[in-house]
Amino acid sequence: MAVDTSYYLILSAAVFCTGLFGILTRRNALLFLMSVELMLNAANINLVAFSQYYGNLTGQVFALFTMALAAAEVAVGIGIILVLYRNFEDVDVAEAATMRW
Amino acid sequence: MTTRPELRLGGHLAPGIIAVALFVIMAVVFVGAPLGDPVGFDDATAIQNETLQSESPTGDYGSVSANGQTYAVAYNGSEETANVSVANDPGVGVDFREVDTTGDGQSDTVYAISRTSITENIGYLMFAVDSDQRSAPGETFLVAFEIIDMVLVGALVGAVVLARRDEGGEVVAALGLRDSDESPGTSAGQVAADGGTEDGGDN
């Protein structure tokens, strides 16, 4: 009756690889941030899938914590992108090659 | 001669191909993984072991709440065959499940079960409360919740305290000492937190 766990894993792999594709091929920092979020959410899908696989709710509760930390991470990431834009007047990640400028 | 768009092939495609190849490898591994049937939450450990009736349960079942207690009632036609009070009144409704205890392929016992919803269980686990209401196993996360709470509040306060910007040589803080009475000459909304600079101080 329940959906087989391997389908969830394939969905998770697809989302993860979409994020990886974005990180490897794009240079826009905002798209970078979106891609990182996709990879994070792929991990969340795995947590919930294995929670259902083992019949244990720990994975689902842990996924909630991951979401909260992802939100905080996005706030920091957007802050960094804002500074990047202010200093380089661009959000191209290849422009900022050094930690100091 | 017409022109048409062409796919530009070359080494610049390699990163994208790597990502797609990774997905193919992962998919092959996951399809072939020897994962059994998921346990799931449908048949959660919610059975209250309250035997409702031990004869052939051919009738309908219902739950009745009266005098603050929940009663599980079995009907056979219009005849009430059993009426037991459900221990530890679940308060979320009583469900019934027929169980084959003798192994002859026919269900012979009806259990009254209480099923706490998954979302409700998550709440109980996150805040480590009401352990007798939980119907699915899991670890409690109260300590982790509090630690992350403190860390995020610290990050927020740190961000507000550290937020500042230069404005015409003056450092303007988001949470500055904006007391316009002490320095009436300062323009409204600006604080010279660095004591004033060449063009901004003591104006």
Side-chain angles (χ1 to χ4, degrees), chain B residues 68-151:
Chain B
Q69 268 209 310
T70 304
Y71 294 91
V73 184
Y75 296 100
N76 193 352
S78 60
E79 186 185 352
E80 186 178 313
T81 57
N83 184 340
V84 295
S85 71
V86 177
N88 302 323
D89 186 359
V92 289
V94 181
D95 217 347
F96 301 96
R97 182 162 300 158
E98 298 178 10
V99 183
D100 175 20
T101 55
T102 54
D104 59 354
Q106 273 203 319
S107 52
D108 46 47
T109 307
V110 175
Y111 286 102
I113 63 170
S114 74
R115 185 178 296 157
T116 312
S117 73
I118 292 178
T119 313
E120 203 176 344
N121 270 306
I122 288 175
Y124 292 145
L125 287 174
M126 184 177 274
F127 302 108
V129 293
D130 275 343
S131 57
D132 55 335
Q133 295 272 348
R134 290 179 216 147
S135 63
E139 295 166 37
T140 56
F141 278 84
L142 183 61
V143 176
F145 186 88
E146 288 300 330
I147 290 173
I148 290 179
D149 177 26
M150 292 296 170
V151 169

Side-chain angles (χ1 to χ4, degrees), chain A residues 1-6 9-18 20-21 24-25 46 48-62 64-65 68-69 72 86, chain B residues 12 15-20 22-24 26-27 30-31 33-42 117-118 121-122 125-126 136-139 141-142 144-146 148 152 165:
Chain A
M1 186 68 88
V3 178
D4 204 43
T5 307
S6 58
L9 297 186
I10 290 171
L11 170 70
S12 163
V15 174
F16 183 87
C17 290
T18 307
L20 187 70
F21 186 93
L24 290 177
T25 57
N46 271 355
V48 175
F50 279 107
S51 167
Q52 187 238 19
Y53 179 69
Y54 287 110
N56 189 310
L57 278 176
T58 302
Q60 295 201 26
V61 183
F62 198 82
L64 286 177
F65 283 97
L69 288 182
R86 196 175 295 167
Chain B
H12 66 282
I17 292 172
I18 288 174
V20 175
L22 181 67
F23 170 70
V24 172
M26 282 174 145
F30 292 152
V31 166
L35 292 166
D37 285 336
V39 176
F41 298 104
D42 188 39
S117 73
I118 292 178
N121 270 306
I122 288 175
L125 287 174
M126 184 177 274
E139 295 166 37
F141 278 84
L142 183 61
F145 186 88
E146 288 300 330
I148 290 179
L152 289 182
R165 64 187 154 90

